[in-house]
Structures are given as structure tokens and as C-alpha cells.
Amino acid sequence: MRLTVWNLKGGQGKTVLSLAMAMLKDMYVVTNDVHSPIDEVIGEDRALRMGMRDALPEVPDEIDLIYDFGGYPDARVIEAAKNSSVVFVPIIYESPLEMQVTINAIAEIEKYNPNIVIVLNKAKAGDYERAKEVFDQFEYEYPIAEVKKSTAFSRAIEKKKSLQELVDENPLFSFHYSKPLEQVRSLLKYIS
């Protein structure tokens, strides 16, 4: 299984989303972000940070992999998108104008892979309706998945544990973290 998490716009929660999925499904992560914490969180044996001149690594098909990419589409991003089952495009809703970079990213991605899922990340009440209204203007029919804002994600990264592990280890976490866990699981359903 190959997934790409990508947006041209920074600060949309790409890495947090990638890590949440990777930790839940024991996936490997490849990133082009030199400041990413992936190797510290999931370990150097499951993470690869590419330099600016590094080619996309050849990874055997039996290894489940997430490409966590930011920035403009270079040959590596395009190759990863083409080889992925799904491209997740995370966005944090701020305003219709702020969404323009994401609209541009989707227009670029769909040239290489039409299997796009928009992830409304760190969603607050009303964000889904507002974002859908903007996407409808561009006649996008891509699914929009919602991942609500939650401390579960930062806690999982801090503890270096999956959301499932957090839910399992403490009954109090089970109440607060079961919804974020369900939302990440629902994203993974788009792959199958």
C-alpha cells in the first residue's frame, strides 16, 4: 500500500496526519521535510528523510508506505502521487482565500492521480460546511473527510504511541481519544 499526504501549503497538519496513520498501521514514512520529527517518533528504521537532491527511494511493494510531502511538485512528489492508492490533501480551514493554495494543489495532483481525499484537519464546528461551500464552487466531487481538533494527536506524538495504544492503555484516554482514532481509521478505509 502506498499513500501520499501532500499540500503545497505549509502548516496544514500533513506530518501529524501521516504519523497518526503510520503509527496505527505500522507503516513506513518517507518525507522531504528536513524539519520533520518522523524518525524521532516512529524510529529511524521506519522513517526516511530525503535531502533535496535525493531520488525517491525504491521500496519493495510489500512494505506499506506513506509519502509525507510538502512544497512544490518536483519529480519525486509526482512519482509518489502516481504510485499511490490515494492522495490525502490536508487543509485547515481559515478562510476561502486561504484555501486557494489547496485548490491549486488539488489541480496539480489530479493530473497524476484522481484518487484524492480532502482531509479537513483540526476541524472546528462549522468548518466542514464552510470548506464544502468553497470546494463546491470549483465543482470538486472529491470526498471530504473530517478530523476534529484534538490533543490526542500531539499526545500520540509525544508518547510515540498510536492512538489505539493510547486508548488501550488508559480508560480515561479511551473516552477522549476514541473519536480521533475512529476518524483516522475512516481515512484508511479510502485505501481499500
Side-chain angles (χ1 to χ4, degrees):
M1 167 185 1
R2 296 285 186 275
L3 310 175
T4 296
V5 178
W6 182 59
N7 193 335
L8 293 164
K9 185 169 175 44
Q12 302 304 296
K14 295 180 291 289
T15 299
V16 170
L17 188 62
S18 296
L19 285 170
M21 291 189 289
M23 289 190 292
L24 188 62
K25 292 302 236 177
D26 290 326
M27 298 176 76
Y28 290 74
V29 179
V30 173
T31 186
N32 66 349
D33 184 352
V34 295
H35 302 293
S36 175
I38 62 163
D39 49 351
E40 296 167 26
V41 176
I42 63 173
E44 290 181 6
D45 59 327
R46 287 186 29 222
L48 176 65
R49 185 189 326 264
M50 295 186 318
M52 290 176 62
R53 293 185 178 91
D54 294 338
L56 197 65
E58 290 187 29
V59 179
D61 289 339
E62 64 271 9
I63 294 177
D64 293 335
L65 182 67
I66 298 174
Y67 297 106
D68 173 36
F69 287 140
Y72 289 92
D74 60 27
R76 302 171 306 176
V77 175
I78 292 167
E79 183 182 345
K82 284 181 179 178
N83 294 325
S84 292
S85 305
V86 176
V87 178
F88 291 106
V89 182
I91 180 169
I92 297 172
Y93 182 84
E94 295 173 39
S95 72
L97 186 59
E98 287 284 325
M99 288 179 64
Q100 188 58 51
V101 176
T102 297
I103 301 292
N104 295 342
I106 292 169
E108 187 66 30
I109 293 164
E110 64 188 359
K111 294 176 189 175
Y112 311 108
N113 190 332
N115 299 320
I116 296 171
V117 176
I118 298 164
V119 180
L120 188 57
N121 216 0
K122 298 183 182 180
K124 301 177 293 301
D127 283 354
Y128 181 87
E129 293 75 19
R130 289 187 287 271
K132 183 158 179 22
E133 197 174 295
V134 174
F135 287 122
D136 286 349
Q137 291 175 10
F138 291 87
E139 299 180 5
Y140 285 137
E141 296 183 15
Y142 299 117
I144 302 174
E146 191 174 30
V147 175
K148 298 273 189 186
K149 186 173 183 169
S150 172
T151 59
F153 299 102
S154 57
R155 180 128 181 127
I157 289 171
E158 175 188 314
K159 296 286 187 182
K160 300 177 184 174
K161 294 183 177 185
S162 72
L163 293 172
Q164 184 65 61
E165 290 172 314
L166 291 179
V167 165
D168 290 346
E169 82 178 9
N170 188 324
L172 292 174
F173 290 153
S174 178
F175 177 75
H176 293 290
Y177 295 170
S178 58
K179 187 67 174 174
L181 173 60
E182 179 185 317
Q183 291 168 339
V184 172
R185 279 199 178 126
S186 74
L187 290 177
L188 293 167
K189 288 181 183 175
Y190 285 102
I191 299 151
S192 52

